[in-house]
Amino acid sequence: ASAASTLGAAAAESGRYFGAATNSFMLNRQPHATVLNREFNSIVAENEMKWYHTEPNQNQFNFTAGDQLIAHARARGMTVRGHTLVWHAQQPQWAQNMSGTALRNAMINHINRVAGHWRGQIHSWDVVNEAFADGGSGGRRDSNLQRTGNDWIEVAFRTARAADPNAKLCYNDYNTDGINAKSTGIYNMVRDFKARGVPIDCVGLQSHLGTSLDPTYQQNIQRFADLGVDVQITELDIQQGGNQANMYGQVTRACLAVARCTGITVWGVLDPDSWRTGAN
Ligand code: G3I
């Protein structure tokens, strides 16, 4: 919470948003709620806007939890990030079992219905999450979505633009925090999208970090910004260790140094709620 105060003050002073991942069932639980409402001006659902949650059975949609988060945010003047329209993980079982044209059409329908339901209420959507492979290839990750054809990402972005024309459309990934083969693969995709007029507005650097920060972190933010997209730090959390507080500072300063780095979101509010249960 004290790191959040410092980060949030810096972000807010500069006009950037400062967000936290949360869940609808935590909105009234203390001390989570007090810290969330006091320190943050943006929220994102840690899980409740994902495919398995919003469309548990094909064409049967569940927007209850997402609606609650949005109502909470709107009542307090907070903005909402949407996470995430399409991802290889946390798909409902019916989609996991699908392939080819049926899956492609299901993806398009999902984006239309979900982005359409929350049209006008989402600051930024993670349209596609984690589609690139780890390691040195710089290529796509294999998945049922990737096997529908390499154009699945641009189809997702075009569909999202039509469904919610005012949301910023982001590509979001991890292990992309410095300049490396994976972030360069994404960089090349964004450059290609901009050249061909495929709608994309932002790149999310998740920033799940260990005990040191890649020295090219700021340079990496800058090179994406130079392509004409915003950069958002979307899932920041840093492993405990001697360098933790210093690293939160480094990340914040790197974002503040780049005009198109428009916001920082931390992945959870309090240690006991973190998905990284082994590390404070
Ligand atoms: O809701 C069920 C509950 O009913 C069941 O009893 C329990 C038993 O395992 O599982 C609960 O679901 C869990 C869900 O979180 C909600 O708590 C899932 O098992 C668990 O896998 C899921 O983990 C989430 C993870 O994404 C899934 O991949 C984490 O909370 C969430 O923080 C994490 O977030 C991801 C981002 O979306 C993308 N970037 C990486 C980030 C961290 O992995």
Side-chain angles (χ1 to χ4, degrees):
S2 95
S5 280
T6 313
L7 285 170
E13 253 169 51
S14 70
R16 290 163 173 82
Y17 72 77
F18 183 53
T22 188
N23 298 305
S24 60
F25 56 84
M26 299 284 285
L27 291 177
N28 298 307
R29 188 183 295 174
Q30 296 301 347
H32 180 93
T34 298
V35 178
L36 180 74
N37 297 337
R38 188 183 61 209
E39 305 293 345
F40 299 91
N41 63 4
S42 167
I43 58 175
V44 61
E46 187 173 358
N47 289 297
E48 291 164 315
M49 290 190 185
K50 292 172 179 173
W51 198 348
Y52 81 106
H53 212 286
T54 49
E55 194 180 358
N57 301 299
Q58 190 170 15
N59 251 319
Q60 238 175 53
F61 291 85
N62 174 10
F63 298 123
T64 310
D67 285 345
Q68 280 169 11
L69 279 176
I70 289 177
H72 185 94
R74 284 170 79 94
R76 290 163 182 79
M78 299 165 138
T79 58
V80 179
R81 295 196 83 258
H83 175 80
T84 172
L85 290 170
V86 240
W87 187 20
H88 67 275
Q90 285 188 294
Q91 293 179 3
Q93 194 62 52
W94 64 265
Q96 291 178 39
N97 295 337
M98 251 179 201
S99 63
T101 309
L103 177 61
R104 176 66 68 91
N105 290 338
M107 175 191 88
I108 292 169
N109 183 55
H110 181 74
I111 296 170
N112 274 327
R113 294 291 303 274
V114 175
H117 177 78
W118 286 311
R119 182 184 175 107
Q121 304 187 73
I122 301 292
H123 175 286
S124 301
W125 263 116
D126 291 332
V127 177
V128 172
N129 193 44
E130 301 177 4
F132 277 72
D134 289 315
S137 75
R140 301 282 182 84
R141 170 198 297 278
D142 178 53
S143 71
N144 59 346
L145 291 160
Q146 181 61 31
R147 277 175 252 128
T148 67
N150 205 50
D151 64 341
W152 72 277
I153 298 183
E154 62 189 86
V155 169
F157 275 84
R158 290 188 201 278
T159 307
R161 177 68 94 223
D164 186 355
N166 292 321
K168 290 200 179 287
L169 306 183
C170 305
Y171 176 81
N172 189 50
D173 216 325
Y174 68 93
N175 283 350
T176 51
D177 312 304
I179 294 181
N180 57 39
K182 187 174 180 181
S183 61
T184 299
I186 294 161
Y187 177 87
N188 290 336
M189 178 187 75
V190 173
R191 190 172 54 186
D192 171 57
F193 279 14
K194 294 299 270 185
R196 291 191 294 113
V198 178
I200 184 164
D201 306 305
C202 36
V203 169
L205 305 181
Q206 292 185 7
S207 304
H208 295 291
L209 301 173
T211 53
S212 68
L213 187 65
D214 188 300
T216 59
Y217 191 79
Q218 184 178 322
Q219 206 186 327
N220 191 39
I221 296 175
Q222 186 68 58
R223 72 170 174 159
F224 280 107
D226 290 344
L227 288 177
V229 289
D230 291 345
V231 177
Q232 302 179 16
I233 312 302
T234 52
E235 304 183 15
L236 180 62
D237 56 11
I238 302 176
Q239 194 178 318
Q240 190 179 36
N243 207 21
Q244 189 188 39
N246 180 43
M247 283 173 65
Y248 275 109
Q250 287 178 286
V251 168
T252 305
R253 281 189 294 275
C255 181
L256 296 182
V258 179
R260 290 201 80 145
C261 182
T262 57
I264 302 175
T265 295
V266 291
W267 205 243
V269 173
L270 303 170
D271 281 350
D273 314 319
S274 172
W275 70 289
R276 296 175 79 174
T277 49
N280 289 333

